[in-house]
Amino acid sequence: MLFVDPITFFSTLYVAFIFGTVFQWFIAVPPVLMMTYNFTLQQVGLAFIAAIGGAVLAAASSVFIERVAYPREVKKSGHQGIVDIEYRFLPAILGSIFIAAALFWIGWTAKPSVSWASPVFGTGLFVWGNMMILV
């Protein structure tokens, strides 16, 4: 099915890219915080609390979007409660915007003249976006 169905192929390719970016992100964050902001290993571990917060926000916002947007489309549809699958992608669309914003955010703010909180909150936004795509 991977090779004969274009939607399956491109979805798999995109999810592979997202997983690769996530794993690379978590490998790159500790050295950035240690070298740029002189964090200890324990402080780097605490900085990942933002990632946990991003995951919690992703779960809450995905559930909220599904509870608000999808029922509205069910009422609008004349297909006896069946809605086009595109309406299930709303969390993923928002998540893709978060990922792009977080990548630029971290890329331009991970320097000593900017507070350490900026890349830490950017990590939370990055995880929020990734989780919304994967949900």
Side-chain angles (χ1 to χ4, degrees):
M1 197 163 106
L2 177 65
F3 298 109
V4 297
D5 186 18
I7 291 178
T8 304
F9 176 75
F10 287 113
S11 296
T12 304
L13 191 65
Y14 185 66
V15 169
F17 172 75
I18 292 299
F19 270 115
T21 307
V22 167
F23 291 126
Q24 184 61 38
W25 186 277
F26 288 122
I27 289 170
V29 166
V32 167
L33 292 175
M34 287 177 166
M35 289 187 293
T36 306
Y37 299 105
N38 298 319
F39 273 33
T40 65
L41 193 57
Q42 290 81 11
Q43 290 171 322
V44 170
L46 289 174
F48 280 107
I49 292 174
I52 295 169
V56 169
L57 286 172
S61 58
S62 294
V63 168
F64 178 76
I65 290 170
E66 290 291 325
R67 297 264 182 192
V68 171
Y70 196 71
R72 287 182 186 168
E73 294 304 321
V74 168
K75 289 178 185 176
K76 287 182 188 177
S77 73
H79 302 105
Q80 300 169 352
I82 299 172
V83 178
D84 295 331
I85 193 69
E86 290 84 13
Y87 291 102
R88 291 284 187 186
F89 291 133
L90 293 176
I93 292 168
L94 187 60
S96 67
I97 294 168
F98 287 174
I99 289 173
L103 289 172
F104 282 105
W105 182 348
I106 299 299
W108 274 302
T109 63
K111 52 187 172 183
S113 62
V114 178
S115 172
W116 61 267
S118 181
V120 169
F121 285 120
T123 299
L125 183 67
F126 181 77
V127 171
W128 188 358
N130 272 293
M131 291 297 292
M132 287 184 72
I133 288 174
L134 296 176
V135 166

